[in-house]
Amino acid sequence: EPEVTQTPSHQVTQMGQEVILRCVPISNHLYFYWYRQILGQKVEFLVSFYNNEISEKSEIFDDQFSVERPDGSNFTLKIRSTKLEDSAMYFCASSEAGWVNTQYFGPGTRLTVL
Amino acid sequence: KNEVEQSPQNLTAQEGEFITINCSYSVGISALHWLQQHPGGGIVSLFMLSSGKKKHGRLIATINIQEKHSSLHITASHPRDSAVYICAVLPTPGAGSYQLTFGKGTKLSVIP
């Protein structure tokens, strides 16, 4: 069964460093999403992406965040200058055709900022 | 912004019991998702519904749009059902930012 994959599974970085989290969505899916979950808290939406552009973003998704689909398979989340409060689990998801469709989640990347 | 409340926060059940998890939201929606988060952190979509009822195996999800309420039922619960169950809602188009708002989750533990 097709699945969403994410790399790395765990990333440790120093405050102020740039990180890139990578996702490979399911191949025929057109909509892509990033979510985060701070330890012990609820899942929060970051950004959605369709047709090579951002379709929605939350208040969390400020100028230090960016997303890109550099090729036909990868979908990346970049955090330019990490802060301690960026430590969280980051989930990528994809869906075949927009929000009112089942989303398939990746296993997550745990980001630890020291 | 939609407020999503789940109850109970924690639930312990004996194997075989019938389980109900509730989700209420404050503003009209176009769809509601039920998700399962495994102890390792992975998230699986269980249901997406906008009206009525859906069933998959031992899981049943219902939604009452007028009452702004949804329930997830698990029949004949099993220890492998132990997980956090999360409700997430999508607003109606035009009602602010079109994004999922998540509840805090219900942690279910099923004891053999």
Side-chain angles (χ1 to χ4, degrees), chain B residues 68-91:
Chain B
K68 297 186 178 61
H69 181 268
S70 176
S71 293
L72 176 69
H73 306 285
I74 305 175
T75 61
S77 59
H78 190 276
R80 66 174 174 267
D81 297 326
S82 298
V84 175
Y85 291 84
I86 301 170
C87 168
V89 300
L90 185 69

Side-chain angles (χ1 to χ4, degrees), chain A:
Chain A
E1 185 175 325
E3 58 182 18
V4 177
T5 59
Q6 290 185 243
T7 54
S9 56
H10 191 189
Q11 173 100 41
V12 181
T13 190
Q14 295 290 328
M15 191 169 58
Q17 294 296 304
E18 174 183 287
V19 295
I20 297 176
L21 310 182
R22 290 183 167 79
C23 169
V24 179
I26 294 172
S27 61
N28 64 333
H29 285 189
L30 302 177
Y31 290 77
F32 316 117
Y33 315 85
W34 281 102
Y35 299 92
R36 80 170 186 191
Q37 186 177 34
I38 295 170
L39 188 63
Q41 297 188 22
K42 61 183 179 179
V43 178
E44 299 173 291
F45 167 75
L46 291 177
V47 66
S48 59
F49 192 85
Y50 168 70
N51 200 26
N52 279 322
E53 60 183 29
I54 290 172
S55 51
E56 292 284 348
K57 60 181 181 179
S58 71
E59 316 82 64
I60 303 167
F61 194 87
D62 60 22
D63 291 343
Q64 71 159 345
F65 291 93
S66 62
V67 289
E68 195 178 31
R69 188 153 163 83
D71 52 43
S73 59
N74 289 283
F75 179 51
T76 62
L77 174 69
K78 182 192 290 186
I79 310 175
R80 287 192 184 82
S81 178
T82 50
K83 304 172 190 169
L84 295 176
E85 53 265 36
D86 294 326
S87 293
M89 183 77 96
Y90 289 81
F91 293 101
C92 172
S94 68
S95 64
E96 198 169 351
W99 282 104
V100 191
N101 277 270
T102 298
Q103 292 188 25
Y104 295 83
F105 286 78
T109 292
R110 178 163 298 285
L111 176 66
T112 302
V113 182
L114 303 176

